[in-house]
Amino acid sequence: MSDSKVLMRFTGVGGQGVLLAGEIFAAAKIKTGGQGLKTATYTSQVRGGPTVVDIQLDDKEIYYPYAIDGEINFMLSVAQMSYVLFKDGVKEGGTIVVDPNLVHPTDEDRKKWNIYEIPIITIAKEEVGNVITQSVVALAIANTMMNAIDKQALIDTMLSKVPAKVHEVNKVAYELGEKYALEAMAAKK
């Protein structure tokens, strides 16, 4: 794996917006002159089935479309069943962010990975005031922790993919996601 390569995984259930977050990351990396790829896997259920999106970002060409289990640097999960199904793809010592209201890592998981608990859905619902912004909260958390893409490029790409009427609320969601990520990282130091 090259030094410039970042492998991320977002997991949830159908309808939670993990696909959009992956699409935004890949598009932003391409816009900034790199390579970005999102590969989604989801069950036949539209809403409620396990969903996973693997995101590859690199300055060099990406030759294989799927992330290789055991090489993923970062995972964010907002559903217990998806967390259990897909956590083993994260390399030992990698970072996992979970919504503690929905995902409950074991003590063994806490020994194997750097686990952060951030109430993503609650932030979107109660602080932003729009639960649909949870994918943008997650996007900000992932980018802040991984330092994957220039923040403004990511925000600009995100705004290009959502309706104009929700631009302001999504900017708020991004800032809150970033704030919570920074606080979580500072608390672990």
Side-chain angles (χ1 to χ4, degrees):
M1 199 161 60
S2 71
D3 292 336
S4 65
K5 190 169 197 169
V6 175
L7 290 173
M8 294 186 283
R9 173 172 281 177
F10 284 26
T11 73
V13 294
Q16 287 184 313
V18 295
L19 298 173
L20 178 61
E23 186 178 312
I24 291 168
F25 261 117
K29 184 66 177 179
I30 292 166
K31 280 184 181 176
T32 60
Q35 301 288 312
L37 184 64
K38 79 142 169 95
T39 308
T41 306
Y42 43 93
T43 60
S44 59
Q45 299 164 288
V46 175
R47 298 215 181 266
T51 305
V52 62
V53 176
D54 288 339
I55 304 146
Q56 295 186 65
L57 308 172
D58 204 336
D59 293 333
K60 300 177 185 139
E61 194 164 347
I62 298 169
Y63 293 104
Y64 186 68
Y66 296 98
I68 297 169
D69 277 358
E71 290 187 3
I72 295 164
N73 314 95
F74 176 92
M75 183 173 96
L76 184 141
S77 188
V78 290
Q80 183 70 27
M81 82 173 112
S82 294
Y83 171 78
V84 171
L85 276 173
F86 302 113
K87 68 182 178 181
D88 288 325
V90 180
K91 68 182 181 184
E92 195 161 335
T95 299
I96 298 178
V97 174
V98 299
D99 186 316
N101 299 312
L102 302 167
V103 179
H104 310 287
T106 66
D107 290 340
E108 285 302 309
D109 292 348
R110 292 178 193 284
K111 291 175 189 164
K112 188 172 182 180
W113 298 293
N114 295 313
I115 295 182
Y116 294 90
E117 296 183 0
I118 302 175
I120 297 160
I121 310 270
T122 303
I123 293 165
K125 194 187 290 185
E126 295 178 9
E127 292 190 48
V128 180
N130 186 334
V131 73
I132 293 171
T133 63
Q134 66 185 307
S135 59
V136 176
V137 173
L139 188 77
I141 291 167
N143 199 48
T144 302
M145 290 189 165
M146 295 303 296
N147 197 24
I149 295 179
D150 173 73
K151 174 184 171 179
Q152 195 57 53
L154 192 60
I155 290 171
D156 291 345
T157 302
M158 177 267 296
L159 293 175
S160 76
K161 302 237 179 240
V162 299
K165 67 182 180 182
V166 293
H167 279 192
E168 290 310 310
V169 75
N170 277 294
K171 287 179 191 174
V172 170
Y174 192 96
E175 294 305 323
L176 282 168
E178 180 179 61
K179 171 183 162 272
Y180 276 92
L182 291 170
E183 287 173 3
M185 291 187 305
K188 278 223 179 190
K189 286 185 180 177

